[in-house]
Structure formats: structure tokens, C-alpha cells
Amino acid sequence: MRIHPRYTQRGAIAVLGGATLLTLLILAFIIFFILEKGLPGISLSFLTTNPTDMGRAGGIFPTLIGTIILPLLAIIIATPLGIFTSVYLSEYTKENKATRIIRFGTDCLAGIPSIIFGLFGYIFFVVTLGFGWSILSGGLTLAVMILPTIIRTSEEAIRAVPKSYREVSFSLGATSWQTVKKVILPNALPGIVTGIMLSIGRAIGETAAVIFTAGSSLRIPSSVFDSTRTMAVHFYILAREGISAENAYATAATLIIAVLIVNLSAYWLMHRFIAKRS
Amino acid sequence: MTEINKVIQNKIAIDKLNLFYGKFQALISVSMPVQEKMITALIGPSGCGKSTLLRSLNRMNDLIHGVKITGSVLLDEIDIYNSSLEVAELRKRVGMVFQRPNPFPLSIYENVVYGLRVAGIRNKKESDEIAEKSLRGAWLWDQVKDKLDHPALELPLDQQQRLVIARLLAVQPEVILMDEPCSALDPIATMKIEELMIELKKDYTIVIVTHNMQQASRVSDFTGYMLMGEMIEFNQTKNIFTNPSKKLTEDYISGKYG
């Protein structure tokens, strides 16, 4: 029996809308749950004082620093590398076996569990290069971890720039590099920024790769060769060792708010850039 | 000819040009002159190779993977495929107007000066002067002079097409290639572009690919009729349209196919 298209249409709307609603509900529930448990513990002194008694009391100030510095270092290293690679792959190479292998490789890298990156970082940066448990080792490991994501998202964004822009630019006598600088990157920017945002989110929330490479020192670091502890690691240790559920939730809530702030300001910056340009 | 006192001179000479996309041969031994400060039209059914021929005049085909070219294209006696002439330099001399108006998503002003920026000209006064001159040359100055900082994509289609012509004039090309420049425009806008082409002919050599035979007969001085990658007939436009020498041309002109 054939169901009338009017009903299948209604069914489709119900299923698609329901899926969207469910996704939003799950997100809202997680945020609500964490904030409800964590917000009461957040205060100015919680953010600005050092922890005492392994985090059972006191604040999270050192982990705030760790959470800013590690992802920042990773982004500073991975962003230019990733964007340059994606530009090279999409604009300077012809589609062939080599580029397909590179693309397949980056896809595989993007799918590797972060603890493997942690292990790699430990063996390579911490031990072999002798950086020890440090901000440098952690930042480099996170950079390696997010690099494939940045490459792939940037490449998608660059490919989405209309071919006609390239043609026009070349037809006006521009070189490939001028075309990349003046036409392709500005137009691919929203997509590239999205990829970077996703990567920052991943880097901020990362625990496994960080514990292995940056350690979990609660002291305020004085150089990139010092160990540090991020909020995510702090939360993990507080919860795992049963030190303080209250402070663990407060840390988690701070983490969520921090990610929100980073995302919102990046989107705000991007829209300002787009508005200014056109 | 409409302008007998013009000294007729070859700006471009195409000689036995073959072009392959992989194994497919898109141009078969095409020879044709393009005369200076004249309008040369290329007509023929879809897929006949006229756009490919046009794009081989400023090496836009280089952007496509797997293209192989033999034969020669001389620009002012210099072979554009086998000489030290840089591609970017060639494209500044032989500019292109595309089928769809394609301004960048930038302001009107930034669109016009794009070629200058690429050429390293940043001087504000010089840029302003060239921008005004180019916009006047494309008959767009009066419409846009008070809103140069507005987004180019807000302009109506026909003004966008004249904007991209202005953007091209700003780099002071010698030859302008037009790839069906009116196919996205309505008849009135088309007429305006055709009038503009005749005006531009005073200073520029123009090659136009068109699907519209009336357009070819209205604007061009010379016409080449192409079919399946071959140049079937090349002659003065009035001869092609009133007295074609080949049966194939006559059939196409009279609308038997195409």
C-alpha cells in the first residue's frame, strides 16, 4: 500500500525535527547538569587562588594558566602548519596518487585515539628529545593531535571557494600565491576558523594526551619546560582520586564556560572581519 | 569593413593549434588571425571548441589538468607557449571577461583595483584615478561613483558585468577575451554591453565567443565558425553571414542545426 506523500512528508518532519530536538535536549541537559552542580563552587577566589591540599580546598588558578597556555601553544604551532599544508595540497598540487595518500593519512591521523598521541608525545618529546613533562611537550603533542583536523577542515573550506574566483584572479595576472592571499584564504576563512575552533575545543578538553606529556604539576609554571596541569586534567584527578567532587564540578563548569567564551569571541571576530571586508 | 582607414594588423596569429584534454582532441589544427582593434567573433554549436580556443589565447587552459597543446599562438609575433613570456604577464596583456558576472565579494572599489594591487600599485591617488577611468571606460562611473565602498554583489547583473569589464580595463590589457559575456543578461543589458564593446574596440582588440549569431553579426568585424574542434570558415563577418563559402557554415547560420 502506498502512503500518501502528505503523510510521509509529515512523518519526515516529525523524525527530522525530533532528532534535532533530542540533540538540543541532550546538550542542554549536559550543560545544565554541570552548571547546576558546579556553579555554586565558582567564585572569584576559586578562580584566582592556588589549590591547597591537592585540590581538596582552595582554587584552581594554576590550572587556569595551564588551560590557556597549552592549547594556545598547540594552536600557534598547528594553525600555520595546517593552513599552509592545506593550501599546498589544494592549490599547488594536482590531484594524484600522492595527494590521495596524504589525504588518507591525515584522515587516519584524525581518527587516532588521543591516548596514542599521548604515548607518542611521551616517547618522542618527553623522553627522546628530553623536554620532560612540560608545557612544551604537551603543546607539541596537542599540536600534532589537532593538526589533521585543521588540515582537513581548511582544505574543505578552500575547496569550497568558487573556482571562478581563481580564474578571475589568474586572468588578471595574479600568481597562485597572490590568489591564495587575496582571494582564497579570505573567502575560506569562516570554514578555517570553524576547524580551529573545533581543535581548540578538543585541545582544551584533552586529558590523556596531556597527562602523559605535560604532567600534572599544580605549581604555577615559570617556563615552557615546567610541568603544568590543565582544568580537564585537574577535574579528572579530583574525580578519579575522589579528592573533591564539589571542586571537580566547579572546575568542569569553569571549563564549559571557558570553551563557550572562546567560541563566541571567535565567531564575533570572524563576523566582524567578514562585515569589514565586504 | 566598417573602418577602412584602420591599418589592418595581426595582433594574434594562431597557427595549426591542436589541443588535447587527455586523449580527447578539442582543437584540431586551428589557424586564425585576430586583427588589432577589431572584434573577432567565434561561433558554433556547444562543444565545438570555441571557448577552448578563446581560453588558449591567455593560457587559461593551463589551469586544467592533462591539457596538451601543439602549434603556436603568436601575440605581437611572440609565441605565448614557447617563449620567456610569463603567464601572469601574458594574462595582464590578454584579459578575460567570463560568462557569469563574477565580481569578488569585495567592495566595488576593491574589485576595480584588484589587478593594480596584484601588480603592486598601492598609491591611493594613482589607484583612485585608474579606478575612475576604468569605471568610466565601462560606462559604470555615474551609477556607482557615490557608492564605491558598497559590496559589488549588490549591483544588478548587468552592472556587475560592466564592473568586471572595468576591473579588466584597470590592468590596461591589449586584448579582451569575452566568453559569452551576455548569456546571463536580459536583451536591454545585452544591447548595452554590445554598444560598450564597439566603443572599446577603439582602444582594444576583442575576441568574443557567442551562442548568439545575431550578436556576432551585430558587433563583430570577423567571424570564425567552428565545428567539432575545427575552424570550418573564417572570414569578414558580412561575408560569413551573407555569403558563406561552406555548406556547413550556411546550415548553421540558417539555423538547420546548432
Side-chain angles (χ1 to χ4, degrees):
Chain A
M1 192 193 81
R2 182 176 176 273
I3 305 169
H4 193 279
R6 196 188 307 128
Y7 298 113
T8 56
Q9 162 76 351
R10 276 184 201 161
I13 289 174
V15 171
L16 301 176
T20 312
L21 195 66
L22 190 63
T23 311
L24 286 175
L25 276 177
I26 293 170
L27 181 70
F29 178 72
I30 292 173
I31 292 179
F32 178 79
F33 179 77
I34 299 290
L35 290 185
E36 197 212 2
K37 296 234 177 191
L39 274 182
I42 299 179
S43 64
L44 192 64
S45 71
F46 180 72
L47 298 177
T48 55
T49 57
N50 290 342
T52 49
D53 196 11
M54 300 298 288
R56 209 162 274 125
I60 56 163
F61 184 62
T63 69
L64 218 59
I65 303 219
T67 305
I68 293 170
I69 201 97
L70 268 189
L72 190 69
L73 185 63
I75 287 294
I76 288 174
I77 296 166
T79 301
L81 267 181
I83 295 178
F84 293 163
T85 305
S86 60
V87 166
Y88 183 73
L89 282 179
S90 54
E91 301 299 312
Y92 287 86
T93 56
K94 301 244 154 93
E95 194 64 38
N96 59 28
K97 213 169 191 170
T99 58
R100 276 198 295 276
I101 290 172
I102 294 173
R103 207 161 285 132
F104 180 70
T106 47
D107 280 349
C108 288
L109 272 181
I112 288 178
S114 59
I115 194 155
I116 307 284
F117 282 103
L119 207 59
F120 161 77
Y122 175 74
I123 295 167
F124 189 64
F125 298 121
V126 176
V127 178
T128 309
L129 295 183
F131 295 156
W133 279 330
S134 63
I135 292 172
L136 188 60
S137 299
L140 287 168
T141 306
L142 285 181
V144 174
M145 186 183 87
I146 62 179
L147 194 54
T149 312
I150 293 186
I151 292 176
R152 288 299 269 143
T153 49
S154 303
E155 208 190 338
E156 292 304 323
I158 286 170
R159 276 172 195 280
V161 176
K163 201 174 133 241
S164 70
Y165 291 178
R166 294 177 176 81
E167 283 190 330
V168 173
S169 182
F170 288 131
S171 80
L172 290 166
T175 60
S176 293
W177 178 235
Q178 285 174 322
T179 304
V180 165
K181 253 189 336 186
K182 287 171 179 290
V183 179
I184 294 174
L185 286 183
N187 282 293
L189 190 79
I192 294 175
V193 169
T194 306
I196 295 174
M197 296 315 311
L198 287 172
S199 305
I200 292 179
R202 256 191 99 192
I204 287 182
E206 183 54 40
T207 50
V210 175
I211 293 180
F212 274 110
T213 53
S216 58
S217 161
L218 270 174
R219 269 195 294 273
I220 294 173
S222 57
S223 86
V224 290
F225 292 104
D226 283 353
S227 168
T228 190
R229 184 189 288 196
T230 64
M231 281 193 265
V233 172
H234 189 56
F235 167 81
Y236 169 77
I237 291 173
L238 291 185
R240 175 79 170 57
E241 317 261 316
I243 294 171
S244 163
E246 194 189 312
N247 278 354
Y249 279 119
T251 309
T254 315
L255 191 59
I256 285 187
I257 293 167
V259 171
L260 273 178
I261 290 172
V262 169
N263 276 313
L264 289 176
S265 34
Y267 278 107
W268 180 74
L269 272 176
M270 191 175 77
H271 284 293
R272 242 183 56 140
F273 171 84
I274 292 170
K276 216 178 115 197
R277 230 173 79 82
S278 55
Chain B
M1 286 310 305
T2 42
E3 281 144 83
I4 288 161
N5 26 10
K6 260 189 184 175
V7 182
I8 294 185
Q9 202 179 339
N10 279 359
K11 182 70 185 171
I12 298 175
I14 304 163
D15 190 37
K16 298 195 190 69
L17 191 69
N18 292 295
L19 185 143
F20 301 83
Y21 292 124
K23 288 206 167 88
F24 173 72
Q25 185 165 9
L27 294 178
I28 303 163
S29 195
V30 171
S31 298
M32 181 186 99
V34 173
Q35 307 209 324
E36 189 159 28
K37 296 188 180 169
M38 297 275 173
I39 298 178
T40 303
L42 297 173
I43 60 170
S46 296
C48 69
K50 55 194 193 299
S51 280
T52 301
L53 179 61
L54 190 78
R55 283 162 170 261
S56 61
L57 301 183
N58 66 344
R59 299 187 58 173
M60 287 304 280
N61 289 321
D62 286 18
L63 304 178
I64 302 165
H65 190 35
V67 165
K68 217 186 88 203
I69 291 168
T70 65
S72 69
V73 176
L74 304 184
L75 172 68
D76 286 337
E77 318 274 299
I78 295 167
D79 191 338
I80 64 170
Y81 285 99
N82 295 303
S83 69
S84 55
L85 185 63
E86 277 199 35
V87 174
E89 198 50 43
L90 167 71
R91 290 184 187 141
K92 277 178 203 159
R93 292 174 61 187
V94 184
M96 191 153 205
V97 176
F98 297 82
Q99 200 166 346
R100 298 266 330 158
N102 51 10
F104 294 120
L106 298 170
S107 70
I108 293 170
Y109 182 83
E110 282 303 321
N111 263 286
V112 180
V113 300
Y114 183 84
L116 304 181
R117 299 284 179 265
V118 160
I121 296 169
R122 305 207 170 268
N123 182 304
K124 170 100 173 69
K125 190 159 163 279
E126 195 181 352
S127 306
D128 288 354
E129 278 171 15
I130 296 177
E132 179 176 343
K133 197 170 151 231
S134 309
L135 285 166
R136 282 189 191 283
W139 295 350
L140 196 58
W141 176 251
D142 289 333
Q143 288 94 317
V144 302
K145 66 180 177 210
D146 298 321
K147 50 173 185 180
L148 291 174
D149 55 343
H150 285 220
L153 293 173
E154 278 177 11
L155 293 174
L157 270 187
D158 64 312
Q159 292 189 14
Q160 287 189 22
Q161 194 63 312
R162 277 182 282 141
L163 175 64
V164 306
I165 292 174
R167 179 175 64 187
L168 180 54
L169 298 185
V171 297
Q172 295 171 302
E174 298 157 33
V175 181
I176 299 177
L177 308 176
M178 296 184 158
D179 193 354
E180 300 189 39
C182 302
S183 60
L185 305 181
D186 64 47
I188 294 181
T190 298
M191 201 172 78
K192 191 117 199 204
I193 297 277
E194 288 179 5
E195 286 169 9
L196 176 60
M197 286 169 64
I198 290 166
E199 176 72 22
L200 290 173
K201 185 168 78 158
K202 290 179 187 156
D203 300 303
Y204 304 92
T205 304
I206 298 175
V207 185
I208 174 177
V209 159
T210 178
H211 257 114
N212 180 332
M213 277 182 287
Q214 286 78 28
Q215 181 168 65
S217 67
R218 279 192 300 260
V219 300
S220 72
D221 305 294
F222 291 89
T223 297
Y225 169 62
M226 293 184 69
L227 184 64
M228 314 269 284
E230 286 183 86
M231 181 65 73
I232 304 296
E233 187 168 352
F234 181 86
N235 208 332
Q236 294 194 1
T237 299
K238 57 175 186 209
N239 291 345
I240 290 265
F241 281 93
T242 55
N243 188 20
S245 62
K246 301 258 173 62
K247 178 80 168 56
L248 283 170
T249 315
E250 194 184 332
D251 288 351
Y252 183 71
I253 303 286
S254 60
K256 273 198 185 152
Y257 66 94

